[in-house]
Amino acid sequence: MKKHLKKMAGTLALFVFMYLLGTVVGAWVMAHRGSAASALIENSENWGLGFGAEGTKPAGNVSAEELKQYNAWYVASSEEKVIYLTFDAGFENGNTPAILDALKKHSVPAAFFLVGNYLETSPELVKRMVEEGHTVGNHTYHHPDMGSISDQAAFQKELEDLEALYEQVTGQEMTKFYRPPQGKYSESNLKMANAMGYQTFFWSLAYVDWYENDQPTKEEAFEKLLGRIHPGAIVLLHSTSATNAQILDELLTKWEEMGYRFGRLEDIS
Protein backbone atom coordinates (compact mmCIF):
# COMPACT_ATOMS: atom_id res chain seq x y z
CA MET A 1 0.00 0.00 0.00
CA LYS A 2 2.78 2.40 0.96
CA LYS A 3 4.55 1.54 -2.28
CA HIS A 4 1.39 2.31 -4.25
CA LEU A 5 0.89 5.65 -2.50
CA LYS A 6 4.52 6.58 -3.11
CA LYS A 7 4.08 5.82 -6.81
CA MET A 8 0.91 7.96 -6.96
CA ALA A 9 2.71 10.83 -5.21
CA GLY A 10 5.53 10.65 -7.73
CA THR A 11 3.11 10.67 -10.64
CA LEU A 12 1.25 13.65 -9.16
CA ALA A 13 4.51 15.54 -8.62
CA LEU A 14 5.52 14.89 -12.22
CA PHE A 15 2.13 16.07 -13.45
CA VAL A 16 2.37 19.27 -11.38
CA PHE A 17 5.91 19.89 -12.65
CA MET A 18 4.86 19.42 -16.30
CA TYR A 19 1.82 21.66 -15.82
CA LEU A 20 3.92 24.43 -14.28
CA LEU A 21 6.55 24.06 -16.98
CA GLY A 22 3.87 24.29 -19.66
CA THR A 23 2.42 27.39 -18.03
CA VAL A 24 5.81 29.10 -17.86
CA VAL A 25 6.72 28.20 -21.44
CA GLY A 26 3.29 29.29 -22.68
CA ALA A 27 3.59 32.61 -20.92
CA TRP A 28 7.08 33.11 -22.38
CA VAL A 29 5.84 32.37 -25.91
CA MET A 30 2.85 34.71 -25.57
CA ALA A 31 5.05 37.46 -24.17
CA HIS A 32 7.47 37.17 -27.05
CA ARG A 33 4.68 36.99 -29.58
CA GLY A 34 3.31 40.16 -28.06
CA SER A 35 6.71 41.82 -28.23
CA ALA A 36 7.11 40.86 -31.88
CA ALA A 37 3.67 42.22 -32.72
CA SER A 38 4.41 45.44 -30.87
CA ALA A 39 7.69 45.81 -32.74
CA LEU A 40 5.91 45.25 -36.04
CA ILE A 41 3.31 47.89 -35.24
CA GLU A 42 6.03 50.25 -34.11
CA ASN A 43 8.09 49.70 -37.24
CA SER A 44 5.42 49.51 -39.94
CA GLU A 45 2.04 51.20 -40.20
CA ASN A 46 -0.75 51.60 -42.74
CA TRP A 47 -2.07 55.14 -42.98
CA GLY A 48 -5.64 55.30 -41.70
CA LEU A 49 -8.38 57.83 -40.93
CA GLY A 50 -11.34 58.14 -38.61
CA PHE A 51 -14.18 60.41 -39.73
CA GLY A 52 -16.44 62.46 -37.47
CA ALA A 53 -19.21 64.90 -38.33
CA GLU A 54 -19.69 65.91 -41.96
CA GLY A 55 -17.45 68.79 -42.98
CA THR A 56 -14.94 68.25 -40.15
CA LYS A 57 -11.35 67.11 -40.41
CA PRO A 58 -10.80 63.40 -39.83
CA ALA A 59 -8.34 62.05 -37.27
CA GLY A 60 -5.29 60.25 -38.60
CA ASN A 61 -3.71 57.29 -36.86
CA VAL A 62 -0.84 59.71 -36.23
CA SER A 63 -1.68 63.28 -35.28
CA ALA A 64 -0.82 66.25 -37.47
CA GLU A 65 1.47 67.56 -34.71
CA GLU A 66 3.40 64.29 -34.50
CA LEU A 67 3.82 64.16 -38.28
CA LYS A 68 4.96 67.76 -38.46
CA GLN A 69 8.23 66.97 -36.67
CA TYR A 70 9.18 64.87 -39.73
CA ASN A 71 7.93 67.45 -42.26
CA ALA A 72 5.02 65.12 -42.96
CA TRP A 73 1.37 66.10 -43.48
CA TYR A 74 -2.06 64.62 -43.98
CA VAL A 75 -4.18 67.77 -43.64
CA ALA A 76 -3.55 71.51 -43.55
CA SER A 77 -3.86 73.18 -40.16
CA SER A 78 -5.83 76.14 -41.51
CA GLU A 79 -9.61 76.24 -41.14
CA GLU A 80 -9.94 78.00 -44.50
CA LYS A 81 -12.02 76.20 -47.11
CA VAL A 82 -9.02 75.14 -49.19
CA ILE A 83 -8.57 71.80 -50.98
CA TYR A 84 -5.18 70.38 -51.96
CA LEU A 85 -5.85 68.00 -54.84
CA THR A 86 -3.44 65.12 -55.46
CA PHE A 87 -3.34 62.14 -57.80
CA ASP A 88 -1.40 58.90 -57.51
CA ALA A 89 -0.32 57.67 -60.94
CA GLY A 90 1.11 54.15 -61.10
CA PHE A 91 0.45 53.66 -64.80
CA GLU A 92 -1.44 55.27 -67.67
CA ASN A 93 -4.67 53.78 -69.02
CA GLY A 94 -6.08 56.70 -70.98
CA ASN A 95 -7.78 58.68 -68.21
CA THR A 96 -5.15 61.32 -67.42
CA PRO A 97 -5.82 63.59 -70.44
CA ALA A 98 -9.45 64.14 -69.35
CA ILE A 99 -8.27 64.81 -65.79
CA LEU A 100 -5.76 67.37 -67.03
CA ASP A 101 -8.44 68.96 -69.25
CA ALA A 102 -10.76 69.43 -66.25
CA LEU A 103 -7.99 70.86 -64.09
CA LYS A 104 -7.06 73.30 -66.86
CA LYS A 105 -10.69 74.37 -67.36
CA HIS A 106 -10.99 75.29 -63.67
CA SER A 107 -7.41 76.60 -63.31
CA VAL A 108 -6.87 74.11 -60.49
CA PRO A 109 -3.31 73.12 -59.53
CA ALA A 110 -2.73 69.49 -58.56
CA ALA A 111 0.12 67.28 -57.44
CA PHE A 112 0.77 64.03 -59.32
CA PHE A 113 2.73 61.38 -57.44
CA LEU A 114 4.41 59.21 -60.07
CA VAL A 115 6.25 55.89 -60.16
CA GLY A 116 8.98 54.77 -62.55
CA ASN A 117 6.62 52.95 -64.91
CA TYR A 118 4.62 56.13 -65.52
CA LEU A 119 7.69 58.16 -66.44
CA GLU A 120 8.95 55.36 -68.69
CA THR A 121 5.71 54.88 -70.62
CA SER A 122 4.07 58.34 -70.57
CA PRO A 123 6.78 61.02 -70.73
CA GLU A 124 4.64 63.36 -72.84
CA LEU A 125 1.89 63.41 -70.23
CA VAL A 126 4.48 64.12 -67.54
CA LYS A 127 5.75 67.05 -69.60
CA ARG A 128 2.16 68.29 -69.96
CA MET A 129 1.68 68.15 -66.18
CA VAL A 130 4.76 70.33 -65.73
CA GLU A 131 3.86 72.73 -68.55
CA GLU A 132 0.38 73.27 -67.12
CA GLY A 133 1.74 74.18 -63.71
CA HIS A 134 1.17 71.01 -61.73
CA THR A 135 3.59 69.59 -59.19
CA VAL A 136 5.11 66.16 -59.77
CA GLY A 137 6.01 64.23 -56.62
CA ASN A 138 7.83 61.01 -55.80
CA HIS A 139 5.80 57.81 -55.35
CA THR A 140 9.01 55.68 -55.55
CA TYR A 141 10.42 53.92 -58.59
CA HIS A 142 9.00 50.42 -58.08
CA HIS A 143 6.03 51.06 -55.71
CA PRO A 144 7.23 48.65 -52.97
CA ASP A 145 6.05 48.37 -49.38
CA MET A 146 8.33 51.07 -48.05
CA GLY A 147 7.31 50.33 -44.47
CA SER A 148 9.28 47.10 -44.67
CA ILE A 149 12.45 48.90 -45.80
CA SER A 150 14.71 49.83 -42.89
CA ASP A 151 17.94 50.18 -44.86
CA GLN A 152 18.81 53.79 -45.65
CA ALA A 153 20.52 52.94 -48.94
CA ALA A 154 17.57 50.89 -50.23
CA PHE A 155 15.10 53.57 -49.21
CA GLN A 156 17.17 56.30 -50.80
CA LYS A 157 17.60 54.37 -54.07
CA GLU A 158 13.82 54.08 -54.58
CA LEU A 159 13.48 57.86 -54.45
CA GLU A 160 16.72 58.85 -56.17
CA ASP A 161 16.19 56.54 -59.16
CA LEU A 162 12.85 58.24 -59.80
CA GLU A 163 14.41 61.68 -59.37
CA ALA A 164 17.01 60.84 -62.03
CA LEU A 165 14.43 59.62 -64.54
CA TYR A 166 12.21 62.64 -63.94
CA GLU A 167 15.13 64.99 -64.60
CA GLN A 168 15.98 63.02 -67.74
CA VAL A 169 12.40 63.36 -69.03
CA THR A 170 11.70 66.98 -68.07
CA GLY A 171 15.10 68.60 -67.70
CA GLN A 172 14.05 69.79 -64.24
CA GLU A 173 14.75 68.70 -60.69
CA MET A 174 11.90 66.87 -58.99
CA THR A 175 10.04 68.64 -56.19
CA LYS A 176 10.93 66.94 -52.90
CA PHE A 177 7.44 65.65 -52.14
CA TYR A 178 7.04 61.97 -51.24
CA ARG A 179 3.98 59.76 -50.86
CA PRO A 180 4.46 56.23 -49.48
CA PRO A 181 2.92 53.58 -51.77
CA GLN A 182 -0.35 52.25 -50.30
CA GLY A 183 0.22 54.52 -47.32
CA LYS A 184 2.63 52.02 -45.78
CA TYR A 185 5.31 53.67 -43.70
CA SER A 186 7.38 53.54 -40.55
CA GLU A 187 8.83 56.16 -38.27
CA SER A 188 12.28 55.41 -39.68
CA ASN A 189 10.88 56.03 -43.21
CA LEU A 190 9.65 59.45 -42.14
CA LYS A 191 13.07 60.23 -40.69
CA MET A 192 14.90 59.00 -43.81
CA ALA A 193 12.67 61.00 -46.17
CA ASN A 194 13.12 64.09 -44.04
CA ALA A 195 16.90 63.61 -44.03
CA MET A 196 16.78 63.54 -47.84
CA GLY A 197 15.01 66.91 -47.83
CA TYR A 198 11.58 65.42 -48.61
CA GLN A 199 8.20 66.31 -47.21
CA THR A 200 5.91 63.29 -46.84
CA PHE A 201 2.26 63.67 -47.82
CA PHE A 202 -0.51 61.34 -46.73
CA TRP A 203 -4.16 62.35 -47.21
CA SER A 204 -7.32 63.27 -45.32
CA LEU A 205 -9.83 62.20 -47.97
CA ALA A 206 -9.81 59.31 -50.44
CA TYR A 207 -12.23 56.67 -51.64
CA VAL A 208 -11.99 53.25 -53.29
CA ASP A 209 -11.29 54.33 -56.87
CA TRP A 210 -8.24 52.20 -57.71
CA TYR A 211 -9.83 48.95 -58.93
CA GLU A 212 -9.70 49.48 -62.67
CA ASN A 213 -12.39 46.86 -63.43
CA ASP A 214 -14.65 47.68 -60.48
CA GLN A 215 -15.14 51.42 -60.62
CA PRO A 216 -17.49 53.30 -58.28
CA THR A 217 -20.57 54.92 -59.74
CA LYS A 218 -20.83 58.68 -60.07
CA GLU A 219 -23.29 58.69 -57.16
CA GLU A 220 -20.96 56.66 -54.93
CA ALA A 221 -18.06 58.97 -55.76
CA PHE A 222 -20.02 62.14 -55.01
CA GLU A 223 -21.34 60.69 -51.75
CA LYS A 224 -17.79 60.27 -50.44
CA LEU A 225 -16.06 63.23 -52.06
CA LEU A 226 -18.75 65.81 -51.31
CA GLY A 227 -19.91 64.42 -47.97
CA ARG A 228 -16.45 64.14 -46.44
CA ILE A 229 -14.77 67.25 -47.86
CA HIS A 230 -13.42 69.58 -45.16
CA PRO A 231 -11.20 72.66 -44.74
CA GLY A 232 -7.54 71.94 -45.45
CA ALA A 233 -8.28 68.60 -47.12
CA ILE A 234 -5.46 66.79 -48.89
CA VAL A 235 -7.51 64.75 -51.36
CA LEU A 236 -6.09 61.58 -52.89
CA LEU A 237 -7.53 60.39 -56.21
CA HIS A 238 -6.11 57.88 -58.69
CA SER A 239 -5.51 58.98 -62.26
CA THR A 240 -6.31 55.44 -63.47
CA SER A 241 -9.95 55.85 -62.42
CA ALA A 242 -12.43 56.17 -65.28
CA THR A 243 -14.96 57.52 -62.77
CA ASN A 244 -12.60 60.30 -61.73
CA ALA A 245 -11.98 61.24 -65.37
CA GLN A 246 -15.73 61.39 -66.03
CA ILE A 247 -16.79 63.36 -62.95
CA LEU A 248 -13.84 65.68 -62.25
CA ASP A 249 -15.21 68.70 -64.13
CA GLU A 250 -18.54 68.44 -62.29
CA LEU A 251 -16.83 67.60 -59.00
CA LEU A 252 -14.65 70.71 -59.14
CA THR A 253 -17.73 72.80 -59.90
CA LYS A 254 -19.60 71.33 -56.92
CA TRP A 255 -16.68 71.94 -54.57
CA GLU A 256 -16.46 75.53 -55.83
CA GLU A 257 -20.20 75.96 -55.22
CA MET A 258 -19.59 74.79 -51.63
CA GLY A 259 -17.21 77.73 -51.20
CA TYR A 260 -13.90 75.89 -51.61
CA ARG A 261 -10.82 77.06 -53.46
CA PHE A 262 -7.77 75.06 -54.46
CA GLY A 263 -4.27 75.41 -53.08
CA ARG A 264 -0.86 73.92 -53.73
CA LEU A 265 0.96 71.49 -51.45
CA GLU A 266 3.83 73.98 -51.47
CA ASP A 267 1.62 76.33 -49.40
CA ILE A 268 1.20 73.86 -46.51
CA SER A 269 3.49 74.54 -43.57
Side-chain angles (χ1 to χ4, degrees), residues 75-112:
V75 68
S77 59
S78 171
E79 293 302 322
E80 288 187 66
K81 296 183 82 170
V82 183
I83 294 169
Y84 301 90
L85 192 55
T86 72
F87 293 86
D88 284 1
F91 59 94
E92 178 54 39
N93 61 355
N95 289 308
T96 303
I99 288 170
L100 289 169
D101 289 345
L103 294 172
K104 186 174 184 179
K105 178 180 176 180
H106 290 260
S107 299
V108 169
F112 288 84

Side-chain angles (χ1 to χ4, degrees), residues 127-143:
K127 291 176 184 176
R128 180 180 171 186
M129 293 170 190
V130 175
E131 289 167 2
E132 295 182 0
H134 302 297
T135 301
V136 174
N138 200 321
H139 202 35
T140 74
Y141 200 99
H142 297 103
H143 203 269

Side-chain angles (χ1 to χ4, degrees), residues 216-236:
T217 65
K218 171 182 173 179
E219 291 72 26
E220 289 169 338
F222 280 161
E223 180 185 0
K224 291 290 193 299
L225 298 173
L226 298 178
R228 289 184 171 177
I229 197 63
H230 52 271
I234 298 178
V235 178
L236 163 60

Side-chain angles (χ1 to χ4, degrees), residues 91-250:
F91 59 94
E92 178 54 39
N93 61 355
N95 289 308
T96 303
I99 288 170
L100 289 169
D101 289 345
L103 294 172
K104 186 174 184 179
K105 178 180 176 180
H106 290 260
S107 299
V108 169
F112 288 84
F113 287 90
L114 308 183
V115 300
N117 173 74
Y118 199 96
L119 278 157
E120 290 169 355
T121 62
S122 307
E124 294 309 313
L125 281 173
V126 178
K127 291 176 184 176
R128 180 180 171 186
M129 293 170 190
V130 175
E131 289 167 2
E132 295 182 0
H134 302 297
T135 301
V136 174
N138 200 321
H139 202 35
T140 74
Y141 200 99
H142 297 103
H143 203 269
D145 173 0
M146 296 294 277
S148 66
I149 296 178
S150 58
D151 177 65
Q152 173 77 42
F155 182 91
Q156 198 162 317
K157 181 173 173 56
E158 274 294 330
L159 273 63
E160 289 183 343
D161 283 357
L162 192 79
E163 290 175 11
L165 182 55
Y166 176 80
E167 188 166 352
Q168 181 182 324
V169 168
T170 66
Q172 299 183 19
E173 288 188 10
M174 175 169 268
T175 302
K176 298 270 188 179
F177 290 170
Y178 163 60
R179 173 166 284 157
Q182 304 174 65
K184 294 183 177 180
Y185 71 100
S186 67
E187 184 180 11
S188 64
N189 287 168
L190 297 176
K191 290 178 179 177
M192 288 188 283
N194 192 30
M196 291 177 67
Y198 272 89
Q199 295 183 66
T200 299
F201 287 95
F202 294 101
W203 57 88
S204 61
L205 176 56
Y207 78 121
V208 182
D209 63 348
W210 56 85
Y211 294 116
E212 191 175 2
N213 298 318
D214 186 18
Q215 282 289 288
T217 65
K218 171 182 173 179
E219 291 72 26
E220 289 169 338
F222 280 161
E223 180 185 0
K224 291 290 193 299
L225 298 173
L226 298 178
R228 289 184 171 177
I229 197 63
H230 52 271
I234 298 178
V235 178
L236 163 60
L237 301 176
H238 285 82
S239 64
T240 52
S241 168
T243 298
N244 290 341
Q246 292 163 8
I247 70 169
L248 188 59
D249 181 14
E250 186 177 355

